Structure formats: C-alpha cells, structure tokens
Amino acid sequence: MSNTISTSTPSLQTTTASSANSAGNDLSSQITRITQQITKLTQQAKDISNGSGSTEEKQKQQELIQVQIEMLQAQLAQLQQQQAEKALQKQQQSQSKVEGVNKPSESNQIDIYI
C-alpha cells in the first residue's frame, strides 16, 4: 500500500503545478480533475483501512492521504472562487451593455437643434 501512496504523491504535485501554470485550461475542467483526484484519494484511504499492515502504518498512510485531500480541497475552493468571480464579471459586463435613456448609443440618440 505504501507504493500506491508514493506513486500518487508525485502525480498530485505534477497536477497541481500544471493546473497552476496552464492558463489555457478552463476552470470547469480543472475543477472536474481535482474532484476526481479527491475521489481517488478517498477510495485509497478506505482501502488502507481494509488492507494489511500495522495500525500505526495504516494511520500514517491515512494521514498523508488526508493532507493531500485537504490541499486539493483548498485548491478546489480557490478555483470555484475564480469561477464565481468570472461569472460575476460576465454578469456585470452584460448589465453595463444595457442601453437606455441615460446611455445613448448610435441607434438610440436624440439630436436637438435650436
């Protein structure tokens, strides 16, 4: 079981670095990937409790997985915050484009001659 944990740790670090550096990926796909990683780690934690080994070893492995899950959850919360901010910006932009009496446009303008 310890091989599984050491194998997942480098992939976690790689994914975290790549998602932070990749501006081209959209937030929803990053959120999906992180959610999948959390699910896998949760399953690994369950498998450890059912597996063989000393109680102390199992506890250490579960603590490592819990730390990884907490880091992913923090990253997930950050991405969700960014997603909410982008949605708010889009909403504000669409509201500012609404033209009315006090916001004349080329098609909605009155020329007054005296």
Side-chain angles (χ1 to χ4, degrees):
M1 283 310 216
S2 63
N3 290 342
T4 305
I5 292 175
S6 33
T7 303
S8 65
T9 303
S11 67
L12 171 67
Q13 292 171 348
T14 304
T15 304
T16 304
S18 67
S19 65
N21 292 331
S22 61
N25 285 350
D26 73 334
L27 293 174
S28 60
S29 65
Q30 290 179 21
I31 289 171
T32 302
R33 264 186 266 131
I34 290 174
T35 305
Q36 289 171 349
Q37 287 178 339
I38 290 172
T39 304
K40 286 179 186 177
L41 288 172
T42 304
Q43 186 59 44
Q44 283 181 1
K46 289 179 185 177
D47 292 343
I48 288 173
S49 63
N50 296 332
S52 61
S54 70
T55 306
E56 292 174 2
E57 185 179 316
K58 287 180 184 181
Q59 186 176 2
K60 286 180 183 179
Q61 290 174 351
Q62 287 180 333
E63 287 174 3
L64 288 173
I65 289 176
Q66 185 61 36
V67 168
Q68 291 175 351
I69 289 173
E70 288 172 2
M71 288 182 353
L72 286 170
Q73 287 174 335
Q75 187 178 5
L76 182 63
Q78 218 174 18
L79 290 172
Q80 288 173 333
Q81 178 67 29
Q82 288 176 6
Q83 193 175 39
E85 288 173 1
K86 282 188 176 186
L88 183 62
Q89 285 177 352
K90 284 183 180 180
Q91 183 181 11
Q92 288 174 344
Q93 286 175 353
S94 66
Q95 287 177 350
S96 67
K97 290 180 182 178
V98 174
E99 298 168 349
V101 176
N102 294 328
K103 295 183 182 180
S105 67
E106 291 180 23
S107 63
N108 184 14
Q109 199 168 20
I110 299 174
D111 293 330
I112 301 176
Y113 299 102
I114 299 179

